[in-house]
Amino acid sequence: MKTKALLLTVLLLPLAVLLLLSEPVSSQSPGEAGPSDTPVPGMAAQRSTAVVRLSNGEWAPYTGRDLPHQGCDSQVVAEAFALEGIRVEYSFYPWARSYLLSENGVVDGTLEWEGTAEQQRTHFVSSVAISKQQWVFFHRKDKAFTWNRLDDLVGLHIGLTLSYVYSDALVALQQQHPGMFTEGPSDLLNIRKLLTGRIDLFPMERAVGKYLLKTALSEKEQAELVENPKPLADFYPHLLLSRAIPENNQRMLQFNRGLQRLKESSRYQEIMAPCRSASP
């Protein structure tokens, strides 16, 4: 969600924007989900008529339509709001659409994005960080390597996923050595390229990469890939609430207060445990 370490670039034609905004948020198309009705543990005692509607995307195990409680970060957001008497309703969309729906106030907000200063000045109110994530390089086990600086990677072939925003340092390396990089339409396709040796390295968030390998590859294929222990970059995803909705300033104060209460209790660690298990 994106660094998505993570914003996804939203460049749509004006006509496409108008068509998008004319659709109801609950409408579904192939690969998309409508609002989720899955209850979140601990929310029953916090029932309220106050509702915040958030667009979300697939970033398993942190967020995902079919994950338990829609993923660790989705559950953190829901329970933080619940502590302030606010119920969350999620709708899942492709990331670019999820962002645009929130930017234009069709939904109240979106996760999980890097809270940049530019966003806060223009379209969004940004929360404190929901979690800490970490990007690393995945590679074939039989092609082990070590690196200290990105210059050490010169000569290797690196795969990237279209529309992802990576570390600024990696972007600088791409500008200096564009022939090292090949972009593909999905993480899974890049994983397939790793397996066949068409690329040497592929950067992914550690837990996201491990989840993808476990759910999309055979045990034999999984055994052929490994992540490099040296982090490429840390990523701190945020909740963004649209400035197009006046009450979102107050909602963000409530969310940050609820998140602080959650982090000060053992409950936050309990929620994050499934995602933390993928970290070293």
Side-chain angles (χ1 to χ4, degrees):
M1 186 275 184
K2 147 192 242 140
T3 317
K4 147 190 217 228
L6 276 280
L7 269 177
L8 299 176
T9 304
V10 182
L11 296 175
L12 302 178
L13 295 174
L15 178 58
V17 173
L18 291 174
L19 290 173
L20 172 67
L21 297 181
S22 67
E23 298 178 7
V25 175
S26 60
S27 65
Q28 297 184 16
S29 58
E32 298 179 357
S36 168
D37 295 323
T38 305
V40 177
M43 290 182 64
Q46 302 288 342
R47 293 298 182 187
S48 170
T49 56
V51 177
V52 61
R53 295 174 175 84
L54 303 176
S55 57
N56 208 337
E58 297 296 329
W59 189 244
Y62 297 102
T63 65
R65 174 190 178 187
D66 297 324
L67 295 173
H69 317 302
Q70 286 77 58
C72 302
D73 282 6
S74 299
Q75 187 175 2
V76 164
V77 170
E79 292 203 18
F81 268 123
L83 289 172
E84 294 293 314
I86 300 173
R87 180 167 58 87
V88 171
E89 292 182 356
Y90 288 119
S91 298
F92 284 84
Y93 302 98
W95 285 111
R97 188 178 182 207
S98 181
Y99 188 91
L100 192 62
L101 287 169
S102 178
E103 179 181 86
N104 288 279
V106 180
V107 295
D108 298 309
T110 183
L111 64 155
E112 63 191 26
W113 305 88
E114 185 173 18
T116 66
E118 177 61 24
Q119 290 170 330
Q120 294 179 51
R121 283 195 300 267
T122 54
H123 303 295
F124 296 102
V125 184
S126 178
S127 74
V128 298
I130 300 168
S131 64
K132 177 183 178 180
Q133 301 178 17
Q134 194 171 78
W135 288 71
V136 296
F137 286 112
F138 282 75
H139 59 90
R140 287 184 59 92
K141 188 177 292 185
D142 59 4
K143 293 186 177 180
F145 77 104
T146 59
W147 67 286
N148 293 308
R149 301 183 307 165
L150 286 176
D151 287 345
D152 296 335
L153 306 178
V154 174
L156 297 175
H157 196 183
I158 301 175
L160 301 176
T161 298
L162 284 167
S163 77
Y164 279 24
V165 175
Y166 294 90
S167 155
D168 290 343
L170 193 62
V171 171
L173 184 65
Q174 185 179 13
Q175 292 171 344
Q176 296 167 10
H177 304 278
M180 290 176 53
F181 296 85
T182 299
E183 292 187 322
S186 71
D187 288 348
L188 182 56
L189 180 59
N190 277 308
I191 288 295
R192 296 292 181 192
K193 288 181 178 180
L194 272 184
L195 287 168
T196 58
R198 294 168 61 192
I199 59 175
D200 300 308
L201 305 175
F202 178 47
M204 285 191 293
E205 199 285 326
R206 190 187 301 273
V208 172
K210 287 189 171 184
Y211 185 91
L212 180 61
L213 267 58
K214 182 178 180 180
T215 56
L217 302 184
S218 68
E219 290 186 5
K220 179 179 180 298
E221 290 172 327
Q222 292 177 49
E224 295 176 6
L225 301 180
V226 67
E227 81 272 13
N228 186 274
K230 180 177 173 60
L232 170 62
D234 291 334
F235 170 51
Y236 297 89
H238 296 70
L239 168 69
L240 302 180
L241 295 182
S242 175
R243 289 191 180 276
I245 301 174
E247 55 264 43
N248 274 347
N249 287 320
Q250 177 61 31
R251 284 171 170 165
M252 186 58 76
L253 292 175
Q254 292 174 285
F255 172 75
N256 284 336
R257 186 167 59 219
L259 181 58
Q260 182 63 33
R261 291 171 61 190
L262 200 63
K263 287 183 175 181
E264 289 173 352
S265 72
S266 61
R267 180 60 181 157
Y268 180 81
Q269 298 302 328
E270 292 173 5
I271 297 171
M272 294 303 302
C275 293
R276 294 285 183 259
S277 64
S279 300

